[in-house]
Amino acid sequence: MTRATFGAQPENQELVRWVAECVDGTASEETWRRLDALLKTDAAARHYYVAHLHLHATLMRKLPAPEIALPDVDRALAPDRDSSPGEPAKPRSRWVVLRDQVHAGVRQLARPTPIAVFVAAASLLLLLVAFAAIPVSFEAVDRPRPTSPPDRQTFVAELVETSRPQWSGKRSYIAGDRLHVGQILELRTGMAAIRFDRGAQVVLEGPAKLRVTSNNAAHLAHGRLTANVPPRAVGYAVSVKQMTITDLGTQFGVVAGQGATQVHVFRGRVAVGPADGSAAEPHILLAGAAAEFNDRGQPAGDYVAADDTFRHADALTGADEVRVRGNLRYLISPPQSLAAGGPLENNHVAHLLLERSDVTLTDDIPAQIVAADSGDEARLRPGRIASGTRVCSYLIHFDIEPVEGGKIIQRTGLIEFSRPILAVIFNDDQLAATDATLGVEGAVYDTETESRTSRGFEPGEFDKLSISADRRTLRITCGLGSASTDQVRVILPTEKP
Amino acid sequence: MNEPDSNNARNRAFAEQFARCQNRVYAFVVALAPRWSDADEIFQRTTVVLWEKWDQFDPARSFIAWACGIARLEALKYFSQRDTHCVTLSNEVMEQIASDYSQQEETLDARTTALEQCLQKLPDGQRSLLESCYLGRGKIADIAAALDTTSNALYLKLRRIRTALHECIDGVLHREGLL
């Protein structure tokens, strides 16, 4: 029996080991069963478990404590002092003025007129066409990596993708660069996607200047950004002048310039207030709303419905549901050619890109169906995805340059999806058969070139693919020994009902 | 109060409570589902349900207890919906942990506060290692490779650091008469 002190180190070293394995994610089924049996009957063991997991969770949310520049949400959201305990806090007059406009914005979004729908759809189509025409810059892959900053700097974010960037300021950046606290990115033209280590993803659109201030915050000196914030990064903050825009679980956009600052909310809600937290309450913006604010975070203009000012919000949709690790990069915008020797050719990283976000299949398609299994990994079995199924498709693409001496280049990466994988397609014929349905619209694949090369993925000694038992995590190793490509199409059910 | 007033008060009240308690709710979810991908999913679902059921919340109750109750149900639902048999804690133990969380709220808050002190006392190398593994949530194998060590060795180092932090927190709470 362990000591009955809350959280204290137990004498039962098996318990210590089991808990450590749970935290590490290495606990076996047997360990879980034995731990569960112990926790059921031993309160002290359970208290130790709770305290240790609490430590683990706090570290996940807290580090690095000194640099987290979370806005003073508690203070900003504090109830009015003149409210009685137990009563709802009284909204201030400014809040009252704003509220109807917020709801008007929501209502407008909820009931778009046919003309608005047409205009929005047409705009989106034009923007997608324009965006697809922008070749993604990968010249940086071949450049020598910049010298690492001094060791004492704390790296808190990563530049994950760029599109035709022209940098101004002291230096330029390439995809994969780690960014430290205080680092300034000054983009003259083009786009850059930054992933903060707490999970927030930001797309910066030039001309813009952004300073990284923590693993969950940034300062936008000027320009336009779109932020996509997953639950674990709730509280992500963008400061502009003397105001702070605080995420409350959302996707939002900011336009900062010489005049008023615009805040647009696409999903969820944000709080806007002075950076010093001096406001008794923030201004809450709900999905579909937009507003202008002065330098101190006070409203400076009428609300307008959020529009397509932030055309790149859609580009973040894919990043919202996938996370890549290792030698993989997520591409915001697919290039026009996904054939061998295309713009993605390099010997360093493979790429993941969203091909189609929502397709209703009109015919059965052949695929390797991902089936749950009682082991650690899901099973793949040949089958068909039925006609009428709504799916989205991603492509893993690895395309190497010619290598001398028959050297094999292998790259390994991990992809975590927010939903279970339905199927994968990796043999030549099945890829070719599904390019038209599931491939990037307008893009060239090797099936359409005369010098068709093998593009499929052949699981074996050099190519490896495994999918976790919960079907959400895909681990892939691509091995290539000549100028060729490996491609795997990953099919997920469409998220929308 | 008219409808927009009511809605705004509702929004603001929820935002207040959620901003204050989200870390505690997240910690509870991690106790039920230590894998961060599971924890994130359950926490996200919990957040949505909390918002949807906010009208049913009794202000006389503890928000954290209410939120943990919903998180427990969401965790059970999440694990039951998974296609494979996923071994984790039983419903009974989850209930016991929820009860512990509710009863030990102040102690756990004190442990969070003490952690700040203990992190400051960590040698630079250990703190840096924690940041590498927790902040970026990179794969242990990748981080181990970057540090020219093995995954097992890195897991052991992390366990030692967490044990040191745990003991340091115990010490702080003991000195303050909370343990």
Side-chain angles (χ1 to χ4, degrees):
Chain A
M1 189 77 159
T2 49
R3 287 177 295 172
T5 311
F6 190 83
Q9 283 291 319
E11 292 157 2
N12 182 346
Q13 288 307 306
E14 264 196 329
L15 169 64
V16 173
R17 182 168 55 81
W18 293 343
V19 172
E21 287 174 1
C22 291
V23 169
D24 294 341
T26 58
S28 66
E29 291 185 13
E30 181 59 22
T31 298
W32 272 111
R33 285 197 192 94
R34 294 175 70 180
L35 178 64
D36 188 75
L38 179 65
L39 299 185
K40 203 174 291 180
T41 56
D42 188 336
R46 200 169 58 248
H47 290 169
Y48 171 74
Y49 175 87
V50 167
H52 206 82
L53 269 292
H54 185 266
L55 167 65
H56 174 54
T58 310
L59 289 172
M60 288 163 77
R61 300 279 282 187
K62 189 170 286 294
L63 283 172
E67 284 82 16
I68 289 177
L70 288 177
D72 194 351
V73 173
D74 279 357
R75 185 175 174 190
L77 293 175
D80 289 346
R81 292 186 186 86
D82 54 355
S83 295
S84 303
E87 285 181 3
K90 295 173 185 172
R92 290 199 158 191
S93 57
R94 197 165 50 208
W95 177 260
V96 174
V97 169
L98 295 177
R99 65 164 187 243
D100 292 336
Q101 293 162 324
V102 172
H103 287 278
V106 174
R107 282 195 297 273
Q108 188 169 344
L109 193 76
R111 292 197 298 271
T113 64
I115 291 176
V117 169
F118 173 77
V119 170
S123 302
L124 182 62
L125 184 62
L126 284 171
L127 288 165
L128 286 173
V129 169
F131 197 54
I134 300 173
V136 178
S137 167
F138 285 94
E139 76 285 357
V141 168
D142 297 319
R143 284 173 23 198
R145 304 279 295 185
T147 306
S148 296
D151 289 339
R152 296 297 301 170
Q153 289 173 334
T154 305
F155 292 94
V156 292
E158 182 173 327
L159 185 67
V160 290
E161 187 49 57
T162 59
S163 177
R164 300 191 71 179
Q166 288 195 6
W167 300 97
S168 50
K170 290 182 180 173
R171 59 165 286 193
S172 60
Y173 298 87
I174 60 174
D177 273 354
R178 293 287 291 160
L179 306 173
H180 60 77
V181 172
Q183 196 137 21
I184 295 173
L185 289 84
E186 199 164 356
L187 196 57
R188 199 158 61 236
T189 61
M191 286 168 51
I194 302 154
R195 183 176 59 231
F196 287 77
D197 286 349
R198 276 277 291 275
Q201 298 237 21
V202 162
V203 173
L204 192 64
E205 190 180 347
K209 184 176 180 181
L210 180 111
R211 177 163 49 87
V212 175
T213 55
S214 85
N215 65 346
N216 208 33
H219 178 82
L220 182 65
H222 65 81
R224 184 185 302 260
L225 69 73
T226 307
N228 194 19
V229 184
R232 69 179 183 280
V234 165
Y236 177 77
V238 176
S239 61
V240 179
K241 298 167 187 169
Q242 286 87 51
M243 65 184 277
T244 299
I245 300 137
T246 306
D247 159 79
L248 298 174
T250 191
Q251 187 181 73
F252 66 94
V254 181
V255 183
Q258 290 185 336
T261 299
Q262 286 181 16
V263 181
H264 298 237
V265 184
F266 307 114
R267 291 203 314 244
R269 59 188 69 81
V270 301
V272 183
D276 60 8
S278 59
E281 65 190 51
H283 302 285
I284 304 287
L285 291 186
L286 303 179
E292 290 188 335
F293 293 88
N294 68 15
D295 294 0
R296 294 268 306 153
Q298 294 165 327
D302 290 341
Y303 282 87
V304 293
D307 54 23
D308 60 358
T309 303
F310 298 89
R311 64 191 189 199
H312 307 304
D314 288 330
L316 282 170
T317 305
D320 188 28
E321 63 182 46
V322 299
R323 188 176 298 138
V324 296
R325 307 276 184 216
N327 296 114
L328 263 173
R329 293 287 179 271
Y330 183 81
L331 266 182
I332 295 171
S333 50
Q336 287 180 300
S337 172
L338 287 160
L344 301 184
E345 186 183 66
N346 78 93
N347 291 350
H348 305 275
V349 293
H351 289 92
L352 175 73
L353 53 95
L354 178 66
E355 295 184 297
R356 296 286 183 100
S357 59
D358 187 6
V359 175
T360 302
L361 300 178
T362 54
D363 296 300
D364 290 2
I365 59 168
Q368 297 292 321
I369 306 297
V370 182
D373 196 274
S374 56
D376 292 336
E377 293 179 5
R379 279 184 300 113
L380 299 183
R381 58 171 174 79
R384 305 184 81 82
I385 307 175
S387 169
T389 308
R390 284 177 63 189
V391 299
C392 69
S393 65
Y394 288 87
L395 186 74
I396 301 167
H397 176 95
F398 186 40
D399 180 7
I400 66 166
E401 299 162 335
V403 182
E404 291 181 5
K407 182 182 171 189
I408 300 292
I409 294 183
Q410 278 184 299
R411 293 291 176 260
T412 296
L414 192 83
I415 310 166
E416 293 162 335
F417 293 93
S418 58
R419 286 171 282 130
I421 300 167
L422 180 63
V424 290
I425 296 172
F426 51 65
N427 78 41
D428 277 343
D429 291 339
Q430 290 182 354
L431 284 167
T434 52
D435 281 342
T437 314
L438 299 175
V440 176
E441 286 182 291
V444 176
Y445 290 82
D446 261 326
T447 41
E448 298 167 21
T449 61
E450 289 182 3
S451 57
R452 174 177 165 179
T453 59
S454 169
R455 55 189 282 215
F457 180 91
E458 299 89 25
E461 185 179 1
F462 302 117
D463 290 346
K464 300 178 195 306
L465 185 148
S466 63
I467 295 172
S468 62
D470 68 0
R471 299 189 294 151
R472 291 166 190 261
T473 303
L474 184 152
R475 183 185 180 86
I476 187 168
T477 298
C478 300
L480 292 172
S482 60
S484 57
T485 56
D486 267 348
Q487 290 186 332
V488 176
R489 189 160 273 145
V490 185
I491 315 296
L492 279 75
T494 298
E495 189 168 28
K496 294 170 187 172
Chain B
M1 191 180 282
N2 61 28
E3 188 179 340
D5 275 341
S6 170
N7 283 339
N8 279 328
R10 178 183 186 273
N11 294 339
R12 194 164 67 89
F14 180 80
E16 282 174 17
Q17 291 280 11
F18 187 73
R20 289 198 181 100
C21 298
Q22 57 166 311
N23 282 351
R24 279 184 268 176
V25 177
Y26 187 78
F28 173 69
V29 169
V30 170
L32 305 186
R35 282 202 338 163
W36 66 265
S37 54
D38 294 333
D40 278 358
E41 179 66 26
I42 294 166
F43 181 68
Q44 185 175 20
R45 294 181 184 195
T46 301
T47 305
V48 171
V49 176
L50 288 174
W51 170 248
E52 287 171 350
K53 296 194 171 179
W54 178 236
D55 286 335
Q56 300 169 26
F57 174 63
D58 175 3
R61 284 187 66 194
S62 152
F63 178 83
I64 188 81
W66 180 66
C68 286
I70 288 175
R72 184 175 62 80
L73 294 175
E74 287 306 307
L76 286 170
K77 199 184 302 179
Y78 171 77
F79 286 122
S80 70
Q81 285 171 348
R82 292 177 38 156
D83 295 332
T84 63
H85 174 59
C86 176
V87 177
T88 177
L89 298 174
S90 61
N91 187 19
E92 184 181 346
V93 171
M94 284 189 185
E95 275 185 24
Q96 289 172 317
I97 288 176
S99 171
D100 290 342
Y101 254 84
S102 180
Q103 290 169 16
Q104 302 290 345
E105 197 177 326
E106 287 183 10
T107 310
L108 290 171
D109 282 352
R111 295 188 75 87
T112 303
T113 306
L115 175 62
E116 298 283 358
Q117 295 179 39
C118 295
L119 281 172
Q120 301 304 326
K121 292 177 187 170
L122 272 187
D124 283 352
Q126 292 186 5
R127 186 183 165 85
S128 172
L129 190 63
L130 272 187
E131 287 179 3
S132 299
C133 297
Y134 275 95
L135 188 60
R137 294 184 180 183
K139 269 187 64 200
I140 285 291
D142 294 341
I143 298 168
L147 297 172
D148 200 20
T149 185
T150 64
S151 298
N152 282 342
L154 186 52
Y155 277 132
L156 279 176
K157 281 183 184 174
L158 284 171
R159 288 180 191 183
R160 288 193 193 110
I161 296 171
R162 280 197 305 266
T163 300
L165 285 172
H166 197 114
E167 288 174 351
C168 172
I169 291 168
D170 286 352
V172 172
L173 266 61
H174 188 71
R175 282 194 296 278
E176 293 176 357
L178 297 171
L179 195 64

